[in-house]
Amino acid sequence: MIAKKKGGDENASAVTDSVGSTFLEILLETKNLEREEACLTAIELMISGIETTASSVAFILYHLARNPKSQDKLHDEITRLLPRAGMPITYETLSEAHFLRAVFKEAARLNPITTGTVRILDHDVVFSGFNVPAWTGILSQSQVIGRLSEYFEHPNEFRPERWLERYEGKTNKVASLIASHPFGMTPFGFGPRQCIGRRFALQEVFLGVIRIIQAYRVEYNHENVDCVTHIINTPDKPLRFEFYRRTSAIENSCRNIN
């Protein structure tokens, strides 16, 4: 396919001219970017946008199962956004799913998919009085930062509300603190080298969680789950979920996910 695109297929060009270029075509048209580099970039997009989503959804379902009030609140939001059977999930739906995004952030805080973000310094830096020379590898430890009490109140508790602007009618102190410390939570990294599959991965996670919680009540009544690190972080033991089909007006539309 890459060879066909690189060779300039006329039919393909006619189609893309009318609807816009694909990501792969943009890579192939980039100056000073070899075909192999374009191919690797496209592969990285798919891996980073697919490989991580299974663990992300697993941790989200685990925390929702252990925190039924949060699960009920998420279900209420989904029902409000998708009140009729068969309604498609649109961009507008996802943009209004504020609690869903808060649930994702809270699960990613407690169980980040990667240990952190690695960068190599391009100049000398002083950290807390220590001189760190250029070309030193620096790791921002998300698994540690996410559970520090100076950044998060009750850091070991699952509280999605901390990511919303208001919590029970009071200004959320944690949200204000995070706003002044933007790097306290960076599950996809930051800047031009942030995760290339970020948008793709988020969309997959959101769609999956919506359809599952829309159709089922999820329970987990076993030992606590933590993570084990391979290339990414995954649950350290089998997740023996119990799924109970919800009886609601929207149930019929959810049967299609089986």
Side-chain angles (χ1 to χ4, degrees):
M1 181 180 72
I2 290 179
K4 187 176 181 179
K5 291 288 185 182
K6 194 72 173 180
D9 179 69
E10 294 182 357
N11 294 329
S13 298
V15 173
T16 54
D17 286 343
S18 63
V19 298
S21 298
T22 65
F23 178 71
L24 179 57
E25 286 171 328
I26 293 173
L27 290 175
L28 294 174
E29 293 169 1
T30 302
K31 295 180 179 179
N32 302 321
L33 188 66
E34 298 295 330
R35 190 183 71 172
E36 290 75 13
E37 294 175 308
C39 180
L40 289 173
T41 301
I43 291 173
E44 182 181 1
L45 169 66
M46 297 302 294
I47 293 176
S48 57
I50 294 176
E51 183 70 16
T52 58
T53 55
S55 290
S56 295
V57 171
F59 282 125
I60 288 172
L61 294 181
Y62 166 72
H63 288 295
L64 290 174
R66 298 300 294 266
N67 297 272
K69 289 184 178 180
S70 293
Q71 184 175 170
D72 290 342
K73 189 170 183 177
L74 177 59
H75 180 257
D76 289 343
E77 178 178 78
I78 293 170
T79 302
R80 174 176 59 81
L81 295 173
L82 301 169
R84 296 190 305 275
M87 291 185 67
I89 301 173
T90 64
Y91 172 81
E92 288 72 22
T93 303
L94 296 181
S95 65
E96 292 297 320
H98 303 300
F99 193 70
L100 172 62
R101 293 177 181 274
V103 165
F104 169 80
K105 290 180 179 180
E106 186 69 347
R109 178 186 71 82
L110 290 168
N111 298 104
I113 296 304
T114 61
T115 56
T117 301
V118 179
R119 294 290 184 267
I120 297 177
L121 298 176
D122 60 0
H123 60 279
D124 296 346
V125 178
V126 177
F127 290 129
S128 301
F130 292 92
N131 295 315
V132 183
W135 309 116
T136 300
I138 301 296
L139 171 64
S140 173
Q141 256 288 1
S142 301
Q143 288 178 281
V144 175
I145 296 173
R147 297 189 184 234
L148 293 178
S149 58
E150 54 262 45
Y151 296 122
F152 301 95
E153 293 180 349
H154 308 287
N156 293 317
E157 296 182 10
F158 182 76
R159 294 187 175 188
E161 290 83 0
R162 73 173 81 243
W163 299 102
L164 303 177
E165 292 183 357
R166 299 286 177 180
Y167 178 52
E168 294 182 353
K170 300 179 181 179
T171 300
N172 185 352
K173 296 180 181 179
V174 177
S176 300
L177 182 61
I178 290 300
S180 62
H181 294 81
F183 298 106
M185 174 65 174
T186 54
F188 295 100
F190 184 79
R193 295 188 178 277
Q194 67 178 304
C195 176
I196 192 174
R198 171 179 164 273
R199 293 181 183 277
F200 184 48
L202 280 175
Q203 180 173 282
E204 281 196 313
V205 170
F206 291 163
L207 293 177
V209 172
I210 286 176
R211 288 309 188 195
I212 292 172
I213 298 302
Q214 189 180 47
Y216 301 97
R217 185 178 81 255
V218 185
E219 294 187 6
Y220 179 84
N221 301 300
H222 305 281
E223 63 274 25
N224 293 336
V225 171
D226 205 336
C227 67
V228 58
T229 302
H230 299 294
I231 296 178
I232 61 172
N233 291 334
T234 59
D236 63 351
K237 55 181 63 67
L239 290 171
R240 293 174 287 173
F241 290 126
E242 298 174 23
F243 295 87
Y244 296 91
R245 186 176 293 279
R246 298 180 185 275
T247 54
S248 65
I250 206 166
E251 179 181 337
N252 291 334
S253 68
C254 300
R255 293 181 186 277
N256 295 328
I257 72 170
N258 293 340

